[in-house]
Each structure stands twice: as structure tokens, then as C-alpha cells.
């Protein structure tokens, strides 16, 4: 099992604004999300997987998950979501369901230390590449 721990900064993003719109964000927030310099901290120890997504001025999510267990989290907008994270080799797959539907995020750790996040919801997909700091 790969160790995903580290600090990452978004380097490249494809289709993220459309993805945010599909997740239910309004056009203004989706544009801000697309343009934001997103950072991600991952702390992966054993069965514990903590992910913090943030920009220079706001924490978007700070989740502590147990691998293989479905848990309920609160999203930044206050909505509840059922989330389950699994690890398959160099991929960490998070599946969540909430009022906006089902979302899948597959984070793949590459040999060069980059992390590629492939996200899909309601038939809309995007890819974000993060560089390890």
C-alpha cells in the first residue's frame, strides 16, 4: 500500500469548473474554485486517512477517514455526506453520496511524487494534478 502523506499544490486542472457546477456550486463559486491555488495536505497512517483541502484564505475540507469504513462527514456548505475511502495499490478511492448525488475521487500517486486526482459526478469528469512539496 502506497503512503500518500505529504503536502501538495495543484499544478494543472482540466474540467474542474464544469465539475463544480455539476456538484451544485453556482457559476461564481465554480469560477473562483477553478482559479484558486488549491493546496492539499494528506496524513496517511495505517488505516487513518486525513485530507485537508485549502487555499491561502479558506479551508474547504478537513476530513479524517478510516479506510474501508463508511462515515458521515459535513461538507463546507453544511450538508452531510456518506463517505467511504479504499486503497488499491497506488490509488486512494473516495466515494461519497449526498443531496447532490454520488461523487467518486480517485487519487493516484505517481512514481515522480505527483498525485493525480480524477473526479466524476453526474457524468461530468475532471482531472487535477498536484505536485508534492
Amino acid at each position: 500500500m502506497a503512503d500518500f502523506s505529504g503536502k501538495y499544490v495543484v499544478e494543472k486542472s482540466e474540467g474542474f469548473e464544469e465539475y463544480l457546477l455539476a456538484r451544485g456550486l453556482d457559476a461564481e463559486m465554480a469560477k473562483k474554485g477553478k482559479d484558486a491555488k488549491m493546496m492539499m495536505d494528506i496524513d496517511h497512517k495505517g488505516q487513518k486517512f486525513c485530507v485537508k483541502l485549502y487555499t491561502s484564505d479558506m479551508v474547504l475540507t478537513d476530513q479524517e477517514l478510516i479506510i474501508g469504513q463508511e462515515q458521515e462527514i459535513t461538507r463546507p456548505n453544511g450538508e452531510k455526506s456518506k463517505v467511504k475511502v479504499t486503497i488499491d495499490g497506488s490509488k486512494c478511492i473516495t466515494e461519497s453520496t449526498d443531496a447532490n448525488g454520488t461523487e467518486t475521487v480517485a487519487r493516484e500517486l505517481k512514481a515522480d511524487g505527483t498525485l493525480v486526482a480524477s473526479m466524476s459526478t453526474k457524468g461530468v469528469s475532471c482531472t487535477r494534478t498536484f505536485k508534492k512539496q
Side-chain angles (χ1 to χ4, degrees):
M1 177 182 345
D3 181 3
F4 291 82
S5 296
K7 293 183 179 289
Y8 301 86
V9 176
V10 72
E11 193 173 62
K12 187 168 100 176
S13 198
E14 297 172 14
F16 191 56
E17 186 172 3
E18 296 82 3
Y19 177 80
L20 293 175
L21 290 168
R23 287 294 302 150
L25 272 70
D26 64 42
E28 182 180 341
M29 290 302 293
K31 173 117 176 72
K32 283 182 181 178
K34 176 187 80 94
D35 295 337
K37 182 180 178 185
M38 187 76 59
M39 293 165 275
M40 177 171 47
D41 294 349
I42 298 177
D43 184 19
H44 177 198
K45 292 183 182 159
Q47 293 301 105
K48 189 169 103 173
F49 195 83
C50 302
V51 179
K52 179 180 179 182
L53 288 170
Y54 57 99
T55 64
S56 60
D57 61 349
M58 147 184 352
V59 174
L60 302 170
T61 187
D62 194 356
Q63 304 170 356
E64 183 174 314
L65 304 168
I66 305 298
I67 296 168
Q69 292 183 13
E70 184 177 82
Q71 297 166 241
E72 185 174 88
I73 63 163
T74 303
R75 296 221 180 241
N77 63 3
E79 290 183 5
K80 301 290 184 190
S81 181
K82 297 280 187 187
V83 177
K84 184 175 182 180
V85 63
T86 56
I87 303 286
D88 183 9
S90 63
K91 284 188 182 179
C92 172
I93 301 159
T94 306
E95 296 178 296
S96 61
T97 304
D98 59 24
N100 287 314
T102 300
E103 170 185 43
T104 302
V105 179
R107 295 176 181 94
E108 184 173 8
L109 192 58
K110 300 291 188 176
D112 65 0
T114 59
L115 188 139
V116 178
S118 302
M119 299 172 261
S120 63
T121 189
K122 300 177 185 174
V124 177
S125 298
C126 77
T127 303
R128 302 193 89 196
T129 302
F130 292 82
K131 184 177 180 179
K132 192 168 189 175
Q133 299 298 288

